[in-house]
């Protein structure tokens, strides 16, 4: 559900209260983002790069285009921290999910997206990752991306 928290600061407080670790980059990426005005549910689906028709590697641009062609669309940036809170203490260890979202600039001017995971020691994390080599950055076939999908009828 988006819009439960009204400001990025409320998300940071909720992450801290849930004992979710976050990187400085993730915290910076939240600002100056806006949050939904009214609470509303969204539906999300996870697809691997291989599920999206790339058996070896795909660029973020290709992954986004394929996700859209499969009926999904990019998530609002608020979906990253909202999903992290929803999955707290439930996500399998070692699993990392990358949010299909428009890349945003971090404090250093690097383009980033949210990634959320549970490390091998069981700590929930909200991080950022980026296209370090620009549009040529390749994502492996096992990389999992989260897309927003239409409501079920």
């Amino acid at each position: 559900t988006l819009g439960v928290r009204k400001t990025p600061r409320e998300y940071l407080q909720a992450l801290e209260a849930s004992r979710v670790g976050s990187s400085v980059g993730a915290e910076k990426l939240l600002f100056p983002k806006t949050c939904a005005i009214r609470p509303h549910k969204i539906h999300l689906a996870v697809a691997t790069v291989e599920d999206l028709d790339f058996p070896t590697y795909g660029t973020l641009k290709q992954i986004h285009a394929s996700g859209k062609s499969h009926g999904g669309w990019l998530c609002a940036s608020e979906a990253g921290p909202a999903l992290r809170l929803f999955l707290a203490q439930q996500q399998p260890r070692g699993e990392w999910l990358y949010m299909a979202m428009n890349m945003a600039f971090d404090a250093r001017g690097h383009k980033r997206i949210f990634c959320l995971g549970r490390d091998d020691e069981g700590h929930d994390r909200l991080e950022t990752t980026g296209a370090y080599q620009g549009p040529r950055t390749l994502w492996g076939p096992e990389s999992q991306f989260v897309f927003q999908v239409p409501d079920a009828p």
Side-chain angles (χ1 to χ4, degrees):
T1 302
L2 301 183
V4 173
R5 289 164 183 85
K6 303 300 180 197
T7 66
R9 183 155 317 285
E10 286 182 29
Y11 270 107
L12 292 176
Q13 291 167 344
L15 289 166
E16 185 177 306
S18 296
R19 305 178 92 182
V20 172
S22 60
S23 66
V24 172
E27 293 174 8
K28 298 278 187 209
L29 199 62
L30 274 169
F31 294 93
K33 301 296 179 200
T34 58
C35 298
I37 296 170
R38 290 181 304 279
H40 64 281
K41 290 187 181 212
I42 60 170
H43 297 270
L44 302 173
V46 177
T48 66
V49 171
E50 187 172 24
D51 294 337
L52 296 170
D53 305 322
F54 301 102
T56 53
Y57 295 94
T59 65
L60 199 56
K61 185 176 182 178
Q62 292 171 322
I63 292 163
H64 286 176
S66 184
K68 289 177 183 178
S69 75
H70 283 82
W73 58 85
L74 301 183
C75 299
S77 59
E78 181 183 358
L83 182 59
R84 172 68 280 161
L85 288 166
F86 178 78
L87 290 176
Q89 302 300 313
Q90 299 176 49
Q91 192 173 11
R93 288 180 183 212
E95 179 184 74
W96 288 87
L97 301 173
Y98 302 96
M99 299 305 295
M101 59 182 275
N102 287 318
M103 295 188 89
F105 290 100
D106 67 10
R108 294 185 179 167
H110 299 120
K111 288 185 173 184
R112 302 278 191 199
I113 60 172
F114 283 117
C115 61
L116 44 123
R118 192 159 207 221
D119 65 24
D120 291 332
E121 296 161 0
H123 301 111
D124 292 322
R125 303 286 307 159
L126 176 68
E127 303 284 343
T128 63
T129 191
Y132 302 109
Q133 300 161 355
R136 295 177 305 212
T137 298
L138 298 175
W139 300 84
E142 70 288 343
S143 299
Q144 299 181 90
F145 280 82
V146 178
F147 287 88
Q148 187 170 343
V149 294
D151 297 351

